Amino acid sequence: MSLPQGMSLATLAPGVDQILLAGDRFSARIALLGGQLIDYRRDGEPPLLYLSPQTTYQPGKAIRGGVPVCWPWFGPHPSDAGLPAHGVARQQVWRLSDAGRDGDVFHVKLDGPRHGGLAAELDFRIGPDGVEIALTTANLGDAAQTVGAALHSYFAVSGIDKVDLLGLESAPAHDKVADQRVNLPALPLRFDGETDLIAYRGGLVTLRDAGWRRDIRIESAGSHSAVVWNPAQDKAQRLADLPDGDWRRFVCVETANAGDDARALAPGARHRLACRLHFSCHD
């Protein structure tokens, strides 16, 4: 396959390749392990995404940071505890199937794993205005199946105490830390301890970062759930691939089909889960 100008393949680690994108005012990297966007930044600005410097690039292990793909279930498998949390897509190598460029916007298509008659593919559109990611699931089997998924974005922030999340005010949610159903506060969400929520609301949410004077807008499609996660200090210390203190440097806001929002796919049916990530600095 011929690649457009500004796109190239390079080795990320033994057995793991990455796609490099170089635009006029931005750059990005996609790891074929996990089909995962691991970096996007505009010239002269902080990175959009957090990537742990202690992560492992090895097939069979998930990359900590960027936008991992949880598929075809979210969280623990509903009936088999021996299967990996958040599905099989994060640990497997995806295949580049198409690539192009329209002006300064790159298009990348990846074919992913199959599991139990389900097949996954990813479409990226990446340009100077931000990133669009679409995960499409097809049921190639002869029986209906339930699919859970998430685009598990790790957003880089100036400090966990300097950000607010707008757009989930008063939303019904499952607080997984307390393991109870709640309604979120009527004010923007702040992070003052371990946070692990499935909020049942689709549409637009905004991560406002006072330290970097930046708004990250996350628009979702095919989703009526948003997962919000930060491990805080105690849980972060148990994560071997996360440096001490780095929990302060990111917030996960995930476009999802999680919890009650998992989707039933009839034989031959397809479902598209997508997010658009765009951001701007302000005074």
Side-chain angles (χ1 to χ4, degrees):
M1 177 190 307
S2 61
L3 300 179
Q5 182 180 1
M7 184 184 300
S8 60
L9 286 170
T11 298
L12 177 61
V16 178
D17 289 336
Q18 62 180 332
I19 302 167
L20 306 180
L21 305 178
D24 292 338
R25 293 170 285 149
F26 69 95
S27 63
R29 295 190 294 142
I30 301 170
L32 293 183
L33 174 59
Q36 189 160 331
L37 180 67
I38 56 174
D39 187 44
Y40 174 92
R41 61 188 73 210
R42 293 197 298 228
D43 295 351
E45 297 184 18
L48 174 66
L49 302 170
Y50 170 83
L51 178 65
S52 172
Q54 294 182 187
T55 196
T56 299
Y57 301 104
Q58 179 181 333
K61 294 188 177 181
I63 297 172
R64 174 76 64 187
V67 188
V69 178
C70 304
W71 179 93
W73 59 86
F74 182 84
H77 189 275
S79 61
D80 188 346
L83 291 173
H86 297 313
V88 299
R90 300 183 304 161
Q91 297 94 343
Q92 296 192 26
V93 175
W94 294 55
R95 182 180 65 87
L96 175 63
S97 60
D98 194 20
R101 181 171 180 173
D102 181 9
D104 210 21
V105 177
F106 293 96
H107 168 74
V108 177
K109 184 174 182 179
L110 304 180
D111 287 338
R114 295 191 177 190
H115 184 84
L118 299 172
E121 63 183 32
L122 279 166
D123 287 280
F124 297 87
R125 290 184 61 82
I126 301 176
D129 295 329
V131 175
E132 297 179 24
I133 307 172
L135 170 67
T136 300
T137 303
N139 185 356
L140 306 180
D142 55 7
Q145 297 200 56
T146 299
V147 177
L151 300 169
H152 191 313
S153 305
Y154 283 72
F155 293 109
V157 298
S158 63
I160 192 67
D161 58 340
K162 296 180 175 64
V163 296
D164 299 276
L165 186 61
L166 295 76
L168 297 179
E169 293 83 357
S170 303
H174 179 198
D175 183 338
K176 297 176 73 176
V177 177
D179 193 21
Q180 63 183 13
R181 298 284 179 145
V182 299
N183 286 320
L184 296 181
L187 299 172
L189 189 64
R190 304 217 71 186
F191 298 87
D192 55 3
E194 182 183 352
T195 303
D196 193 353
L197 299 167
I198 302 175
Y200 292 106
R201 180 173 294 169
L204 172 68
V205 295
T206 300
L207 186 64
R208 178 156 294 164
D209 189 331
W212 283 341
R213 297 193 300 246
R214 179 169 81 173
D215 285 353
I216 301 173
R217 294 181 296 280
I218 304 116
E219 297 181 49
S220 62
S223 165
H224 294 295
S225 56
V227 176
V228 184
W229 182 74
N230 181 274
Q233 182 174 355
D234 290 347
K235 186 168 184 178
Q237 289 177 338
R238 301 195 295 271
L239 300 175
D241 56 358
L242 188 68
D244 291 345
D246 265 26
W247 60 273
R248 298 184 178 92
R249 299 179 54 209
F250 69 84
V251 171
C252 291
V253 184
E254 311 168 34
T255 298
N257 295 134
D260 298 344
D261 191 34
R263 303 301 174 98
L265 286 188
R270 298 166 66 90
H271 175 67
R272 181 178 181 271
L273 174 70
C275 66
R276 182 178 179 222
L277 314 175
H278 49 118
F279 57 101
S280 60
C281 297
H282 53 81
D283 295 328

